[in-house]
Amino acid sequence: MKTYLKRFRRWLIVSGVMILAGIAALLCADVDCRSAASGKIFRSVETIPTNDVALVLGTSKKTARGNPNLHFTQRIKAAAALFKSGKVRHLIVSGDNSVKHYDEPTDMHDALVAAGVPTNAITCDYAGFRTLDSVVRAKTVFGLTNFTIVTEQFHCPRAVWIAQRHGLDAVAFAAPDLSARWSARVKVRETLARTLCALDLYVLNRQPKFPGPPETLLLAEHSAPKPTPTP
């Protein structure tokens, strides 16, 4: 009986230490992430700095139940608004195309064209399997060192953090977060993702699954419609 109690107490101590270590890792990753993104996230086209290129991070067009994904809609609206404001000249849409009949970049491309962005102002990156892949490939594939990231508010800090750790000068244009009904789950997942991201950045030095080969971006003159002058 005494041996059992000793083992149980030892198990409790080890479990408690592991839980505390996990909580500490979550908190440290969150603080580091927020610190890296401080002053680099913008919510209006009037205040965001101008860059030649914006990187639009991918998400699925439909939910698992086949309904329109509002996260997708938010990012497309933000990217189109950024382009039409003249704050960027070109959009890279980066997402997952690893399985048949699932193509985030093409879905984003088509949605942006429908929103009024010229097709020659959009480049598809089909190997943006994760946020890290999309951000780092902007450098290794497209040769960018400074650019604007387009995603939702909750996702912006981690994307900017990754860019900073890879020596990139990136700012983020934040699409508004959705209501709690839509975003509660993804925000919890984002907290865990930041801890895993810290492991990738500081321990594993993880790189994109497909880091190349290089591709040339053709940046045409901005052709977004100009606003009609008020009489």
Side-chain angles (χ1 to χ4, degrees), residues 6 13 37 50 63 69 83 86 95-96 100 102 131 139 155 157 174 178 181 186 193 204 208 211 220 226 228:
K6 286 181 178 179
I13 293 171
T50 300
T63 66
N69 183 359
F83 178 83
D96 191 349
K100 192 175 181 180
Y102 186 80
T131 302
K139 175 183 179 181
H155 191 198
L178 300 174
R181 174 177 172 268
V186 294
L204 301 177
K226 296 180 180 179
T228 304

Side-chain angles (χ1 to χ4, degrees), residues 179-223:
S179 65
R181 174 177 172 268
W182 274 87
S183 62
R185 182 183 300 177
V186 294
K187 287 181 178 178
V188 170
R189 188 173 63 187
E190 178 62 21
T191 300
L192 298 175
R194 290 180 184 182
T195 304
L196 295 176
C197 184
L199 186 64
D200 286 342
L201 296 176
Y202 294 106
V203 180
L204 301 177
N205 190 30
R206 194 180 298 276
Q207 300 299 315
K209 184 175 182 180
F210 298 111
E215 296 181 25
T216 301
L217 288 178
L218 299 177
L219 303 181
E221 290 298 320
H222 194 286
S223 56

Side-chain angles (χ1 to χ4, degrees), residues 52-54 90-92 120-124 138 141-144 147 214-220:
D52 282 338
V53 180
H90 199 90
L91 302 173
I92 298 173
N120 65 349
I122 309 170
T123 295
C124 291
V141 174
F142 300 105
L144 301 179
F147 52 92
E215 296 181 25
T216 301
L217 288 178
L218 299 177
L219 303 181

Side-chain angles (χ1 to χ4, degrees), residues 136-154:
V136 178
R137 278 173 59 84
K139 175 183 179 181
T140 61
V141 174
F142 300 105
L144 301 179
T145 55
N146 59 288
F147 52 92
T148 300
I149 297 168
V150 180
T151 186
E152 287 149 282
Q153 172 68 33
F154 74 88

Side-chain angles (χ1 to χ4, degrees), residues 20 42 44 55-56 60 68 70 81 83 108 145 153 165 184-185 187 192 197 223:
L20 290 174
F42 299 84
S44 71
L55 173 69
V56 189
S60 59
L70 296 184
F83 178 83
M108 290 191 290
T145 55
Q153 172 68 33
R165 293 295 304 175
R185 182 183 300 177
K187 287 181 178 178
L192 298 175
C197 184
S223 56

